Amino acid sequence: MNSAQPWPGVIRRYASFLPVTAETPVVTLLEGNTPLIPVPAFVSAIGGRFDLRLKYEAMNPTCSFKDRGMTMAITKARERGAKVVVCASTGNTSASAAAYAARAGLKCVVLLPKGKIAMGKLSQALLYGATTVSIEGNFDDALRIVRELGEAGQVEVVNSVNPVRIEGQKTAAFEICDALGDAPDFHFLPVGNAGNITAYWKGFREYAEAGLSDTLPKMMGWQAAGAAPLVLGHPVANPETVATAIRIGNPASWQGAVEAARDSGGSIRSVTDDEILHAYKLLARTEGIMVEPACAAPLAGLIQSIAAGEIPDGALVTATMTGHGLKDPDTAIRVAGFEPHIVPASKEAVMAVMGL
Ligand SMILES: *Cc1c(COP(=O)(O)O)cnc(C)c1O
């Protein structure tokens, strides 16, 4: 695309790869076009000798990658004349649905697992004006109810069980190929409901089939150990992890995730909460990049992959940083390990803290 032209959002940029026509009433907040940030200090801190670039999806309008799928889902809802959209969410889907529904003038209802939503995400859904329902259950319970509402036919479901969400999300893979001139050797990402790994794999394949890239990456998906149904091979009844965005026991895109890992020669494995929080803090301290805990799952996974000798020297590795660290300030403050120094308002007191 001509760099002199303003970025038009993912639907208009990649229209030829998406189920839209010239008449489709596009609802966009100009999502996409997110940075691919090199992180050499982080790589050397974990003992790697390869080129790692982070696809920093925090730079989307509601600060997570969910906006790529939501621009499609809300656009199609409007095209079909829907009046009400509904979703189940671990937080970011609800923030995104609420924002795009507000933009489109649609009513939005979000179902959240009670007490398990990071504060930033809850604040978004409430401020954008979505009817916000806390379910006394987990994400999987909320998604079951949303599916039932969808079958009753009165509402448009905008979870990733809606296939147009996956279509929008695959544009992140296109952007990575556009930025690098080809696909990377490996792509790392967190896996929760498994829509995103399914979407990236679809995107990488479609770009190669269109002749816009030559190679395909190995897809390396990472779950939290307490919420790792794809690793265990069966649903988990009570998923638990500090990474609330991937606290899911029965992923909707199970098959897509398994195929992405298998067909690309990659894998889906798990990391513990301790490993996640270690990588989360290390990224912030070595690179000045704040992500939400779920994003640190693939970074912790990278540490495992290095130990297993899986990443050749000089490889080109990309990883999706799915959401912004400010979404979950409680975890940031807890993990930082210290609190502000409280001192009298004098230069001397500040110098004392500085050790001068
Ligand atoms: C939704 C989400 C995930 C998980 O993506 P899936 O498509 O459900 O696998 C990971 N991280 C963040 C920040 C998310 O919002």
Side-chain angles (χ1 to χ4, degrees):
M1 118 153 256
N2 181 341
S3 59
Q5 279 172 3
W7 176 259
V10 298
I11 294 180
R12 292 199 174 98
R13 171 64 183 85
Y14 295 110
S16 63
F17 290 91
L18 297 170
V20 292
T21 68
E23 280 72 50
T24 300
V26 174
V27 181
T28 178
L29 288 163
L30 306 185
E31 60 294 312
N33 197 27
T34 57
L36 194 59
I37 310 175
V39 286
F42 178 79
V43 173
S44 74
I46 63 174
R49 280 189 286 193
F50 49 82
D51 184 353
L52 176 61
R53 317 276 179 97
L54 302 184
K55 185 66 172 159
Y56 194 57
E57 292 285 273
M59 296 306 285
N60 279 300
T62 75
C63 306
S64 88
F65 78 85
K66 297 298 199 297
D67 295 342
R68 293 179 185 276
M70 206 54 74
T71 183
M72 275 301 305
I74 300 296
T75 290
K76 295 305 273 188
R78 194 160 84 172
E79 190 171 53
R80 278 195 278 267
K83 298 279 180 286
V84 185
V85 298
V86 5
C87 67
S89 179
T90 60
N92 282 332
T93 298
S94 64
S96 189
Y100 282 81
R103 182 87 163 165
L106 300 178
K107 184 172 166 51
C108 179
V109 181
V110 303
L111 276 62
L112 309 171
K114 183 164 176 273
K116 297 292 182 180
I117 298 298
M119 197 51 74
K121 304 176 188 181
L122 184 60
S123 73
Q124 289 178 291
L126 294 171
L127 186 67
Y128 296 133
T131 302
T132 303
V133 184
S134 272
I135 301 289
E136 290 171 334
N138 59 30
F139 171 84
D140 304 287
D141 297 317
L143 184 57
R144 172 177 49 78
I145 295 166
V146 163
R147 285 183 195 261
E148 288 168 14
L149 289 170
E151 278 156 24
Q154 274 126 351
V155 298
E156 181 93 357
V157 175
V158 296
N159 279 104
S160 58
V161 294
N162 179 337
V164 303
R165 282 274 311 279
I166 307 281
E167 293 300 308
Q169 285 173 206
K170 76 187 179 190
T171 60
F174 298 163
E175 288 180 19
I176 289 174
C177 294
D178 286 343
L180 298 174
D182 202 350
D185 299 315
F186 296 85
H187 186 73
F188 280 63
L189 78 176
V191 176
N193 213 24
N196 215 26
I197 188 170
T198 304
Y200 269 79
W201 181 234
K202 190 166 197 281
F204 284 125
R205 278 181 299 140
E206 288 183 5
Y207 237 42
E209 281 157 21
L212 294 166
S213 56
D214 293 330
T215 61
L216 291 170
K218 291 184 163 52
M219 299 296 298
M220 308 292 276
W222 297 88
Q223 300 206 286
L230 293 165
V231 182
L232 298 170
H234 58 77
V236 173
N238 296 302
E240 228 13 288
T241 169
V242 65
T244 51
I246 52 173
R247 186 174 169 272
I248 293 175
N250 192 11
S253 298
W254 189 299
Q255 205 48 41
V258 168
E259 286 169 14
R262 184 194 62 208
D263 296 348
S264 71
S267 64
I268 298 174
R269 282 177 280 170
S270 66
V271 286
T272 66
D273 278 9
D274 283 350
E275 291 175 293
I276 288 172
L277 293 178
H278 168 73
Y280 166 76
K281 185 164 157 181
L282 188 64
L283 180 69
R285 299 278 161 98
T286 56
E287 298 283 3
I289 296 176
M290 186 172 180
V291 296
E292 63 168 285
C295 311
L299 298 177
L302 204 47
I303 297 174
Q304 274 193 23
S305 291
I306 293 171
E310 293 168 344
I311 316 286
D313 286 358
L316 180 53
V317 182
T318 52
T320 310
M321 297 295 106
T322 43
H324 204 291
L326 287 173
K327 297 266 193 181
D328 189 355
D330 299 319
T331 301
I333 290 171
R334 188 158 47 77
V335 170
F338 58 89
E339 305 241 317
H341 302 270
I342 299 169
V343 300
S346 76
K347 185 181 83 178
E348 290 69 27
V350 174
M351 287 177 73
V353 171
M354 296 166 76
L356 298 174

